[in-house]
Amino acid sequence: DKAETKGGLVVKTDDGRFEMKIGGRIQFDGYLATDDDDLGSPGLISTTGFRRARLTMEGKAYGWSYKFENDFTGAAAGGGFREMWIGTKVFDQNLRIGQAKPYRGMEELTSSNEIDFMERPFATASGVFTGNQFAQGLFLDGGGANWTYGISAYSLRNEDAAATEGVGGAARVTFAPILSDETVLHLGLSASSDHPSDNGTGAVTRTASGRQFGRIAGATAIATTPEERTAFGLELAGKAGPIYGQAEYVMADYKNEATEDEDVDTWYVQASYMLTGESKPYDAKKAVFKSPKPNGAMGAWELKARYDVMEGSEGTGPAAEEISYWIVGANWFVNPNVRFMFEYLQGNVSPFAGADVEASVFQVRTQFGF
Amino acid sequence: DKAETKGGLVVKTDDGRFEMKIGGRIQFDGYLATDDDDLGSPGLISTTGFRRARLTMEGKAYGWSYKFENDFTGAAAGGGFREMWIGTKVFDQNLRIGQAKPYRGMEELTSSNEIDFMERPFATASGVFTGNQFAQGLFLDGGGANWTYGISAYSLRNEDAAATEGVGGAARVTFAPILSDETVLHLGLSASSDHPSDNGTGAVTRTASGRQFGRIAGATAIATTPEERTAFGLELAGKAGPIYGQAEYVMADYKNEATEDEDVDTWYVQASYMLTGESKPYDAKKAVFKSPKPNGAMGAWELKARYDVMEGSEGTGPAAEEISYWIVGANWFVNPNVRFMFEYLQGNVSPFAGADVEASVFQVRTQFGF
Amino acid sequence: DKAETKGGLVVKTDDGRFEMKIGGRIQFDGYLATDDDDLGSPGLISTTGFRRARLTMEGKAYGWSYKFENDFTGAAAGGGFREMWIGTKVFDQNLRIGQAKPYRGMEELTSSNEIDFMERPFATASGVFTGNQFAQGLFLDGGGANWTYGISAYSLRNEDAAATEGVGGAARVTFAPILSDETVLHLGLSASSDHPSDNGTGAVTRTASGRQFGRIAGATAIATTPEERTAFGLELAGKAGPIYGQAEYVMADYKNEATEDEDVDTWYVQASYMLTGESKPYDAKKAVFKSPKPNGAMGAWELKARYDVMEGSEGTGPAAEEISYWIVGANWFVNPNVRFMFEYLQGNVSPFAGADVEASVFQVRTQFGF
């Protein structure tokens, strides 16, 4: 059998029927608060921290496969589980049993090693789907040359939380009418419905999370804990050579039997330009964009910007009616394993009553994927 | 040196003197409560969860060996440690120093990858030995072609619990008067004595545990925390071609200086029939049964049943005088790595005073060992 | 690519540009209290426990490298992180970004696999630098044939503790005027300055820690939580054939604005003699001593002794004015992977007011490094 390394490890049989990979990722962040006057003490904290430190084992045997991924920054008792599943092919479709990401929007399904910004936008578990990035159940996907589908039915169980009878389902379809190495146009559609347990476990809350920005907007979650969340998402993305753009819109309805229902809308648009001429690859099987591999010895340089906003319809006092931020920044892809991300983020929180809160932060990520 | 994979990884030198293995196991369960009317809220929870998610590293160097096994479903600070030891040969016997299983009954010593049912019976740490499946100290074993012995002396320390001066000892002998590939008759005998610390650490409690059934019988532990536990166990097991049967009886005495001593008796009998004709292998070195490897492309199918009961002699009110359950089910061994287990469990708890409690659950396990 | 094992695993490309190593360490301790009459209940606890159980992954790719080390005895949420960094060469110097040890004294920078005694002395994070063994930031080192330097600037963040704005810096230089295989004379100098955050996070306390001895002196930390710690350290070490000696002196000033500043002085001296004739190797790149590799089939045997003392200048009542202990013991290096350490420790705590406290313990470590 053959052993290979590019920083991680792959051992496979010559016929490819058996395989084991060991890899991981280290993401180390530094934060410098540039304006936190509007926030009470302690405000934003200029500090460092590991955003992710994961061990990932993957293998194949007799037509079945597994993925065993633990993030050591996670809480104990399974709180570090990320993808943790057993899979096989059924009628040439991919079936996975265990813990994985429900098929929601494009950015949610992009690996944290490949996302273009340090944090995902509000159209993901960093916003409207807080706490539900991973779920446990059945995950089926497939597709053709320029289209994909994914369907998932799951428990809202978090491995380190109490067992819950909360359940949900999510599905996504995508289509790429233009699909070449240099030019891509991507369209996507997703829908999900999540039902927490009557006893309150498996909650479907939504807040503005994502490390430093979570601190800007932390205490201002848009709505109360609902009995049901229904969400629809639209995706529009594409690239033309070194230019890339991506946008999503999610319309979520949180049903509160005791009070008014709440509609939460969120959308973002992000774009980048590769100074060194690379073109962002499109993964047609997962229907997401990936990171460019550098052309030259000095690595690849990318300029980028994002605007992201989440709006609620019901609420009072300091709860946020609108949370938004914009980011400008740059990425340096040193080699296929190492990257640096530099970002300046300016955020704004508008409560239903009271004055707006503004804050800004400069942040840097150092990352090694293996 | 040679690298091999069957889903996990083995690297060894040609002379076999040095070796490293990396493996693991994923066990993902689903539970569906079919009757929990007798139980108060929340009753049985129909949910999912990872029963085990382990990384196992094993190695050999210069005549010494180690096993480093962590279950990521475990609590932090060492609470995920399973087997974690340093070993060598002494006069051709196996000596291990560190954390391992005391030599108690047959089912306790069967790997969780090889057990025939989703949970072990009450004759193990799922019942009379709750909290003491693993202990820290010295473990010595050996034997001949058809007999084995094991002796262990240990601290009752759990790595994630407070340090304790509680200590214990356990020993087991087995004999297989009939031992061929097709037919096995196994007899076993074990004894153990455990002494918690005076300050209450290193407790030797016993409850009906094992996930969903633990919820059926959870609040009805048979006895109070004792000063000493002495237990004797008998094993009778065997197979004839596709038929397999196994039974154990454990008689435990819990010495309570303040109150009455309590006798707890438990026994179980389990049997199975391989529809596809395989015969369960017997591991003559460990004196336990293992899982069959499938003969055909459709995998191996096994029908199975168990009855298990635990009885206490002292107690009052809602504490259980008798806890019992039966299981009928089937196992599908898809290939040497992957299996599914399907079980219907019906349990009954008889308190010293008050009405019996009955409940039932349907449960499924998906498992990948690598 | 080539796969090799000596109990752990190394896979590398023939040109050495890509590499992955998987290793770990198991350190299992037993403690027997031989005198704890002066201590209140529970006093010293005669028990067992895993001192370290680490998985270590290291790799190289495209001129960059990483180290991913987690101790499974650590708390969750990153509390098990040890060295966790991304590195490269800058003008032929070593630069690391992430979590590593600040460049303080010699014993602190010696790997826990290579230290000559079971616990480090008070001149490390086991004493004056408690809680700050690892820090997050930038680490630069280099040197020549017989000298080294190291400079670090860091956040006082502990990954499992609250984010802090506390920061610090530490630097060390060493020189070995005599440096041959048989004879070494080592001189070292270090300085560090640590500033906790105003909000109290990132504290720079100092206590007598190190497992069992921590229990002897546990409640008698020398000073209160300060606003700043400045420390200077001196190192003198050497060997001549089988004889080895090492001493450090650290003078630390804890600035308390509310109260008096406190000076804490600590020094230790340790020495050993290899009965089997080996000579302790000196790692000239890290400027620390390592463990001998055994010459013969019976392994290497070492006799050893240490005296260690820490003194405070301010305090009242039961707070310790002086904490000291001595150790005599032996090490058995069975092979390059396995060792046993045997130690008898007698400790003394002298409070500012009240009677001295004496206690002693016998302790054993079993260790496998792979």
Side-chain angles (χ1 to χ4, degrees):
Chain A
D1 304 5
K2 210 161 54 173
E4 291 167 356
T5 181
K6 289 279 179 188
L9 176 63
V10 182
V11 177
K12 56 185 166 191
T13 55
D14 295 334
D15 61 9
R17 288 181 61 223
F18 297 91
E19 181 178 302
M20 188 187 192
K21 289 189 205 177
I22 301 178
R25 66 190 66 171
I26 299 176
Q27 297 180 358
F28 177 66
D29 290 0
Y31 307 106
L32 181 68
T34 47
D35 172 20
D36 62 355
D37 295 346
D38 290 356
L39 301 168
S41 175
L44 297 181
I45 300 177
S46 298
T47 190
T48 59
F50 288 91
R51 184 62 178 87
R52 293 177 182 89
R54 292 190 188 171
L55 166 67
T56 308
M57 299 188 288
E58 294 173 88
K60 292 183 197 169
Y62 305 101
W64 287 68
S65 59
Y66 67 87
K67 188 163 183 177
F68 185 124
E69 186 171 61
N70 191 72
D71 198 322
F72 288 82
T73 64
F81 289 6
R82 297 301 180 259
E83 288 198 46
M84 182 74 79
W85 46 257
I86 296 166
T88 192
K89 293 265 185 189
V90 175
F91 298 113
D92 211 37
Q93 311 300 296
N94 303 307
L95 175 67
R96 296 177 294 164
I97 306 171
Q99 182 166 307
K101 289 181 187 172
Y103 298 98
R104 289 181 175 130
M106 186 175 200
E107 185 79 356
E108 184 76 281
L109 296 171
T110 305
S111 160
S112 68
N113 263 351
E114 308 285 344
I115 49 176
D116 216 49
F117 292 78
M118 287 172 63
E119 301 293 337
R120 293 192 180 89
F122 295 142
T124 68
S126 294
V128 287
F129 301 109
T130 300
N132 304 116
Q133 186 177 21
F134 291 91
Q136 298 181 356
L138 300 173
F139 301 82
L140 185 75
D141 63 54
N146 65 350
W147 66 278
T148 73
Y149 77 90
I151 305 174
S152 44
Y154 45 80
S155 162
L156 289 170
R157 177 86 190 269
N158 277 333
E159 193 58 31
D160 60 341
T164 179
E165 297 198 334
V167 294
R172 177 191 185 226
V173 290
T174 72
F175 174 53
I178 304 175
L179 179 56
S180 73
D181 280 358
E182 283 299 300
T183 316
V184 171
L185 178 64
H186 162 107
L187 305 170
L189 189 65
S190 65
S192 66
S193 177
D194 297 310
H195 303 256
S197 175
D198 289 345
N199 60 17
T201 56
V204 289
T205 57
R206 60 260 147 272
T207 55
S209 70
R211 302 293 145 129
Q212 287 303 86
F213 190 75
R215 290 197 187 92
I216 299 179
T220 56
I222 280 184
T224 53
T225 302
E227 279 88 38
E228 186 184 328
R229 175 184 56 213
T230 313
F232 294 93
L234 298 174
E235 308 164 13
L236 173 64
K239 69 163 183 175
I243 297 171
Y244 145 85
Q246 179 177 319
E248 289 186 73
Y249 170 72
V250 174
M251 184 176 59
D253 177 66
Y254 295 83
K255 193 172 169 182
N256 291 293
E257 292 186 6
T259 64
E260 205 79 24
D261 287 9
E262 173 148 31
D263 294 321
V264 177
D265 288 1
T266 183
W267 60 272
Y268 73 92
V269 56
Q270 63 193 29
S272 81
Y273 177 71
M274 297 297 310
L275 293 174
T276 41
E278 292 83 356
S279 185
K280 244 175 127 60
Y282 179 73
D283 180 338
K285 290 210 165 170
K286 295 191 172 177
V288 298
F289 280 99
K290 297 196 298 181
S291 300
K293 300 289 174 253
N295 286 336
M298 292 308 293
W301 282 89
E302 180 180 30
L303 294 181
K304 63 183 184 181
R306 173 198 282 169
Y307 178 75
D308 189 12
V309 59
M310 180 165 56
E311 291 176 5
S313 67
E314 302 294 325
T316 53
E321 186 167 8
E322 184 185 294
I323 307 177
S324 66
Y325 65 89
W326 51 263
I327 296 174
V328 291
N331 295 337
W332 177 28
F333 301 92
V334 182
N335 60 50
N337 298 83
V338 176
R339 82 172 56 172
F340 291 87
M341 301 171 95
F342 307 92
E343 298 184 357
Y344 177 77
L345 180 154
Q346 163 104 37
N348 184 85
V349 181
S350 296
F352 283 100
D356 281 19
V357 173
E358 289 209 349
S360 63
V361 63
F362 178 72
Q363 49 196 19
V364 181
R365 175 166 297 168
T366 307
Q367 176 173 327
F368 198 118
F370 55 95
Chain B
D1 304 6
K2 211 162 51 174
E4 291 167 357
T5 181
K6 289 279 179 190
L9 176 63
V10 182
V11 177
K12 57 185 166 192
T13 54
D14 296 334
D15 61 8
R17 289 182 61 223
F18 297 91
E19 182 178 301
M20 187 187 193
K21 290 189 205 177
I22 300 178
R25 68 191 65 172
I26 299 176
Q27 298 179 356
F28 177 66
D29 290 359
Y31 306 106
L32 181 68
T34 46
D35 172 20
D36 62 354
D37 295 346
D38 290 357
L39 301 169
S41 175
L44 297 181
I45 300 177
S46 298
T47 191
T48 58
F50 287 92
R51 184 62 179 86
R52 294 177 181 89
R54 292 189 186 171
L55 166 67
T56 308
M57 298 187 288
E58 294 173 89
K60 291 183 197 169
Y62 306 100
W64 288 68
S65 58
Y66 68 87
K67 188 165 184 177
F68 185 125
E69 185 170 62
N70 190 72
D71 198 322
F72 289 82
T73 64
F81 288 7
R82 297 300 180 259
E83 290 198 46
M84 182 73 79
W85 47 256
I86 296 166
T88 191
K89 294 264 185 188
V90 176
F91 298 113
D92 211 37
Q93 311 300 296
N94 303 307
L95 175 66
R96 295 177 295 163
I97 305 170
Q99 181 166 308
K101 289 181 187 171
Y103 298 98
R104 290 184 175 128
M106 185 175 202
E107 185 79 354
E108 185 76 283
L109 295 171
T110 305
S111 160
S112 68
N113 264 351
E114 308 285 344
I115 50 176
D116 216 49
F117 292 78
M118 287 172 62
E119 301 294 336
R120 292 193 181 88
F122 295 140
T124 68
S126 294
V128 286
F129 301 108
T130 300
N132 304 117
Q133 185 178 21
F134 291 91
Q136 297 181 357
L138 300 173
F139 300 83
L140 185 75
D141 63 55
N146 65 351
W147 66 277
T148 73
Y149 77 89
I151 304 174
S152 45
Y154 45 81
S155 162
L156 290 170
R157 177 84 189 271
N158 278 332
E159 193 58 32
D160 60 341
T164 180
E165 297 198 334
V167 295
R172 178 191 186 224
V173 290
T174 72
F175 174 52
I178 304 175
L179 180 55
S180 72
D181 279 359
E182 283 299 301
T183 315
V184 171
L185 178 64
H186 162 105
L187 304 171
L189 189 65
S190 65
S192 66
S193 177
D194 297 310
H195 302 256
S197 175
D198 290 344
N199 60 18
T201 57
V204 288
T205 57
R206 62 259 143 275
T207 56
S209 70
R211 302 292 147 130
Q212 287 304 88
F213 191 74
R215 290 197 185 92
I216 300 179
T220 56
I222 280 182
T224 53
T225 302
E227 280 89 39
E228 185 184 328
R229 176 184 56 213
T230 313
F232 294 93
L234 297 174
E235 308 165 13
L236 173 64
K239 70 163 182 175
I243 296 171
Y244 146 84
Q246 179 176 320
E248 289 187 71
Y249 170 73
V250 174
M251 184 176 59
D253 176 66
Y254 295 84
K255 193 172 169 182
N256 291 292
E257 292 186 6
T259 64
E260 206 79 23
D261 287 9
E262 173 148 29
D263 294 320
V264 176
D265 288 1
T266 182
W267 61 272
Y268 75 91
V269 56
Q270 63 191 30
S272 81
Y273 177 70
M274 297 298 308
L275 292 174
T276 41
E278 291 84 355
S279 185
K280 244 175 125 61
Y282 179 74
D283 180 338
K285 290 210 165 169
K286 293 191 173 177
V288 298
F289 280 97
K290 297 196 298 182
S291 301
K293 301 287 175 257
N295 286 336
M298 293 307 294
W301 282 89
E302 181 179 29
L303 293 182
K304 64 185 183 180
R306 174 197 281 167
Y307 178 76
D308 190 12
V309 59
M310 179 164 57
E311 291 175 6
S313 66
E314 302 294 326
T316 53
E321 186 168 7
E322 185 185 293
I323 306 177
S324 66
Y325 66 88
W326 51 264
I327 295 173
V328 292
N331 295 335
W332 177 27
F333 302 92
V334 182
N335 60 50
N337 298 83
V338 177
R339 83 171 57 172
F340 291 88
M341 302 170 94
F342 308 92
E343 297 185 356
Y344 177 78
L345 180 153
Q346 163 103 37
N348 184 85
V349 181
S350 298
F352 282 100
D356 282 19
V357 173
E358 289 210 350
S360 63
V361 63
F362 178 71
Q363 49 196 20
V364 181
R365 175 166 297 168
T366 307
Q367 175 173 328
F368 197 118
F370 54 96
Chain C
D1 305 5
K2 210 160 55 173
E4 291 167 355
T5 181
K6 289 279 179 189
L9 176 63
V10 182
V11 177
K12 57 185 165 192
T13 54
D14 295 335
D15 61 8
R17 288 182 62 224
F18 297 91
E19 181 177 301
M20 188 188 193
K21 290 188 205 178
I22 300 178
R25 68 191 66 173
I26 299 176
Q27 297 180 357
F28 177 66
D29 290 359
Y31 307 106
L32 181 67
T34 47
D35 172 20
D36 61 356
D37 295 345
D38 290 356
L39 300 168
S41 176
L44 297 181
I45 299 177
S46 299
T47 191
T48 57
F50 288 92
R51 184 62 178 88
R52 294 177 182 88
R54 292 190 187 171
L55 166 67
T56 308
M57 299 187 288
E58 294 173 271
K60 291 183 198 170
Y62 305 100
W64 287 68
S65 58
Y66 68 87
K67 188 164 184 176
F68 186 124
E69 186 170 63
N70 191 72
D71 199 321
F72 288 82
T73 65
F81 289 7
R82 297 300 179 259
E83 289 198 46
M84 182 75 77
W85 47 256
I86 297 166
T88 191
K89 293 266 184 186
V90 176
F91 299 113
D92 211 37
Q93 312 300 296
N94 304 305
L95 175 67
R96 295 177 296 164
I97 305 171
Q99 181 166 308
K101 289 181 188 171
Y103 298 98
R104 289 183 175 128
M106 184 175 203
E107 185 79 355
E108 185 76 281
L109 295 172
T110 305
S111 160
S112 68
N113 263 351
E114 308 286 343
I115 49 177
D116 217 47
F117 292 78
M118 287 172 62
E119 301 294 335
R120 292 192 181 87
F122 296 140
T124 68
S126 295
V128 286
F129 301 108
T130 300
N132 305 117
Q133 186 178 21
F134 291 91
Q136 298 180 356
L138 299 173
F139 301 83
L140 184 76
D141 62 55
N146 65 351
W147 66 278
T148 72
Y149 78 89
I151 305 174
S152 44
Y154 46 80
S155 163
L156 290 170
R157 177 83 190 270
N158 277 334
E159 193 58 30
D160 60 340
T164 180
E165 298 198 334
V167 294
R172 177 190 185 226
V173 289
T174 72
F175 174 53
I178 304 174
L179 180 56
S180 73
D181 280 357
E182 283 299 301
T183 315
V184 171
L185 178 64
H186 162 105
L187 304 170
L189 190 65
S190 64
S192 66
S193 178
D194 296 310
H195 303 256
S197 176
D198 289 345
N199 61 18
T201 57
V204 289
T205 57
R206 61 258 144 274
T207 56
S209 70
R211 302 291 147 131
Q212 287 302 89
F213 190 74
R215 290 197 185 92
I216 299 178
T220 55
I222 279 181
T224 53
T225 302
E227 279 88 39
E228 186 184 327
R229 174 184 58 212
T230 312
F232 293 94
L234 297 173
E235 307 164 13
L236 173 64
K239 70 163 183 174
I243 297 170
Y244 146 85
Q246 179 176 320
E248 289 187 72
Y249 170 73
V250 175
M251 184 175 59
D253 177 66
Y254 294 84
K255 194 171 168 182
N256 291 293
E257 291 187 7
T259 65
E260 204 79 25
D261 287 9
E262 173 147 31
D263 293 322
V264 177
D265 287 2
T266 181
W267 60 271
Y268 74 91
V269 56
Q270 63 192 31
S272 80
Y273 177 71
M274 296 298 309
L275 292 174
T276 41
E278 291 84 356
S279 186
K280 245 174 126 60
Y282 179 74
D283 179 339
K285 290 210 166 169
K286 294 192 173 177
V288 299
F289 280 98
K290 296 196 298 180
S291 301
K293 300 288 174 256
N295 286 336
M298 293 307 294
W301 282 90
E302 181 180 29
L303 293 181
K304 64 184 184 179
R306 173 197 281 168
Y307 179 76
D308 190 12
V309 59
M310 179 164 58
E311 291 175 5
S313 66
E314 301 295 324
T316 54
E321 185 167 10
E322 184 184 294
I323 306 176
S324 67
Y325 65 89
W326 51 264
I327 295 173
V328 292
N331 295 337
W332 177 28
F333 302 92
V334 182
N335 60 50
N337 298 83
V338 176
R339 82 171 57 173
F340 291 87
M341 301 171 93
F342 308 92
E343 298 185 356
Y344 176 78
L345 179 153
Q346 163 103 37
N348 183 85
V349 181
S350 298
F352 282 100
D356 281 19
V357 173
E358 290 210 346
S360 63
V361 63
F362 178 72
Q363 49 196 19
V364 182
R365 175 166 297 168
T366 307
Q367 175 174 326
F368 197 117
F370 55 96

